[in-house]
Amino acid sequence: LTQEERDAGVARLLVSQARAEKDPAGKERLYRDALKVDKANAEANLELGLLLLRQLLRAPRPPDEPGGSAALREGRKRLRRADRALGGEDAKVWQACHQLVNIGHSLEGFDRPLLAREVYLLSARLRPGHANSVGCVYKVREWLCEWGNRTAAFAEVMGIVRGQLQRGERTSLQPMTAVSQPVDPATQLALARSWVRAVYQHKPDTSNPFLLPAAPLPTP
């Protein structure tokens, strides 16, 4: 084996150990050790990036100032590096976008909309076709009263929504958000029904782990 191949093997072992580690600090240390051996290791970069962004959810919570967040800056860098190494259609990055959306949802719940916006934007830039990311960017910008390019952004979201409704999927635009938008009543009803189906289906909606299976609807 060449030295490069040996280094890659050591890095893979360290990544495996990091996945099994329960302590976040220990997990981070193992990912960093893997990257010292093989700085191009895509999985170490990807998983360290997500781990750093989850630090935004720990107490004490950081101020809602994206420019001052070292975790956000490095997490963004790690994920972009992993994306370049893995290629444009790799499923691991797509799954990472699901996780980024969930991190953004939690940040919104902690009243950190500016940080949430940056996380959603990162996801949308990694995978422009990730529908939930596009919808979440639109929603959080409404919250922040960022009206620039609003018409084009709304048209993009509604284009995604129409396709989702045709396929019978839960929409990226939430029903309560749609109420405040120029959406016709029939489409608003279809939006609401798509979310009811997602909540009450027996199989969970894997695009959003927050939607867990619910009990069957009661019989009238």
Side-chain angles (χ1 to χ4, degrees), residues 1 23 33 42 45 60 101 125 138 144 187 195 199 201 205 211:
L1 293 177
D23 176 54
D33 287 346
N45 274 304
V101 166
R125 286 165 182 160
Y138 181 82
L144 294 167
T187 302
W195 278 72
V199 171
Q201 65 187 356
D205 181 355
L211 288 177

Side-chain angles (χ1 to χ4, degrees), residues 45 72-82 84:
N45 274 304
L72 177 62
R73 287 195 301 274
E74 187 181 357
R76 184 191 288 136
K77 179 183 74 174
R78 296 290 179 189
L79 287 167
R80 288 173 176 167
R81 188 172 293 173
R84 287 194 297 270

Side-chain angles (χ1 to χ4, degrees), residues 157-200:
V157 170
M158 288 310 297
I160 291 170
V161 164
R162 283 190 287 273
Q164 290 170 324
L165 290 174
Q166 289 174 357
R167 295 187 296 272
E169 299 172 0
R170 179 182 60 81
T171 61
S172 298
L173 188 66
Q174 297 179 10
M176 293 306 295
T177 303
V179 169
S180 64
Q181 309 299 319
V183 178
D184 64 89
T187 302
Q188 288 190 16
L189 180 59
L191 283 165
R193 284 174 171 166
S194 79
W195 278 72
V196 169
R197 282 195 302 271
V199 171
Y200 281 96

